[in-house]
Amino acid sequence: MKAFLILEDRTVFTGTSIGSTRDMISEIVFNTSMTGYLEVLTDPSYAGQAVVMTYPLIGNYGITPDMESKKAWPDGYIVRELSRMPSNFRCEGSIQDFLKAQDIPGIAGIDTRALTKILREKGTMNGMITTNENYDLDEIIPKLAAYTVGDVVSKVTCEEKYTIEGEGKKVALMDFGAKNNIAKSLNQRGCEVTIYPAHTSADEIIASKPDGIMLSNGPGDPADCKDIIREIKKLYDSEIPIFAICLGHQLMALATGATTHKLKYGHRGGNHPVKDLSNNRVYISSQNHGYVVDTDSIDKNIAAPAFTNVNDGTNEGLTYVGKNIFTVQFHPEACPGPQDSGYLFDRFIEMMGGNK
């Protein structure tokens, strides 16, 4: 079946329908990872977006037990070519069947290089995937212009708290769209991890007397999370050690007076170099974000830049003055490099006083 990708600038790509055949409108973003497509599909940070994979062949090892959450979150999926015969000893099915089961519309067979160039030159824009060959651009374009991502944190967070048992330090993980590997990375280091819904009050977190607090990744514009930001300010005022990733990093910055802005086309992929300013070492990082903290807005009496993006110089992490708090924009749990930045979890445990 034919499918069409229609962009806000009236560009139309024609390809083949994959997954669900329903119409979809979303923000179109691209990811430069060569592998890890299942992790991308199940990353809650993609809620409210449709993902273009720049690597030309997707699905060659099928669906494996590497999901970062219980379901897929992107609104749509866009690829050059889907592998027709996945091969891997861990393969549990094809990506085509997975997309159908998850009700995700997609399109294959288009020039994803040309599409990515458009998004890089003009910036991230909204788009539609449709199988309707009689589409009307004049009707569709206003709908694309009106689309907004909205409150997606409430959509992706857990409904109630739960605990992953451990013998070491007790960590409260705020779930703004947390990937499974964050809790797993802590639990593998002996921590007992309790995952809390995004709108849990700071008073409840503090009353549970955790040894440390993790602020997770998540989707959407951080400035829209006003209620959460107020609660994070209370967590900042406590003396509990805090480690934050991605959206959590941005929310902590906003809670302490800094500002954020939207990038032209974001950072999404498993190959982004970041420099640790404490030792001038460069690490390969996994990233998935469309917003960054404004470096010029950071009060030097509150926080100092800790990491920077080698490609464009944007902020990739902060350390907080006089506080046991550090935050990073990238994903140390996502096995980039493949273990380049895993040491940050060890740093967090040391900050909490270390496990037995």
Side-chain angles (χ1 to χ4, degrees), residues 50-61:
V51 184
V52 183
M53 301 302 293
T54 63
Y55 191 70
L57 180 64
I58 297 297
N60 58 312
Y61 53 88

Side-chain angles (χ1 to χ4, degrees), residues 5-131:
L5 172 62
I6 303 166
L7 298 182
E8 205 170 347
D9 69 350
R10 305 181 77 89
T11 301
V12 179
F13 291 87
T14 303
T16 303
S17 173
I18 56 175
S20 172
T21 57
R22 64 180 175 82
D23 287 353
M24 177 231 70
I25 293 177
S26 191
E27 181 181 57
I28 312 297
V29 301
F30 64 86
N31 184 294
T32 58
S33 297
M34 295 175 66
T35 61
Y37 53 81
L38 184 59
E39 289 88 337
V40 169
L41 280 168
T42 56
D43 181 350
S45 293
Y46 282 112
Q49 298 173 327
V51 184
V52 183
M53 301 302 293
T54 63
Y55 191 70
L57 180 64
I58 297 297
N60 58 312
Y61 53 88
I63 298 300
T64 57
D66 301 314
M67 294 177 64
E68 284 291 349
S69 62
K70 294 180 180 179
K71 58 168 285 185
W73 289 104
D75 290 336
Y77 202 56
I78 303 161
V79 301
R80 177 69 183 91
E81 181 181 353
L82 273 187
S83 174
R84 291 170 292 173
M85 298 178 64
S87 177
N88 187 279
F89 73 99
R90 300 167 72 236
C91 178
E92 299 176 344
S94 73
I95 192 170
Q96 295 96 319
D97 291 340
F98 180 78
L99 292 173
K100 288 179 182 177
Q102 297 285 323
D103 194 32
I104 296 178
I107 184 170
I110 71 167
D111 187 342
T112 50
R113 176 180 288 186
L115 172 56
T116 300
K117 284 185 175 181
I118 290 172
L119 298 177
R120 282 177 59 90
E121 291 167 5
K122 296 184 177 181
T124 295
M125 65 180 77
N126 296 335
M128 168 185 274
I129 295 175
T130 182
T131 56

Side-chain angles (χ1 to χ4, degrees), residues 245-262:
I245 293 172
C246 200
L247 179 64
H249 153 77
Q250 298 164 1
L251 295 174
M252 178 59 75
L254 289 169
T256 53
T259 58
T260 56
H261 72 271
K262 190 173 185 178

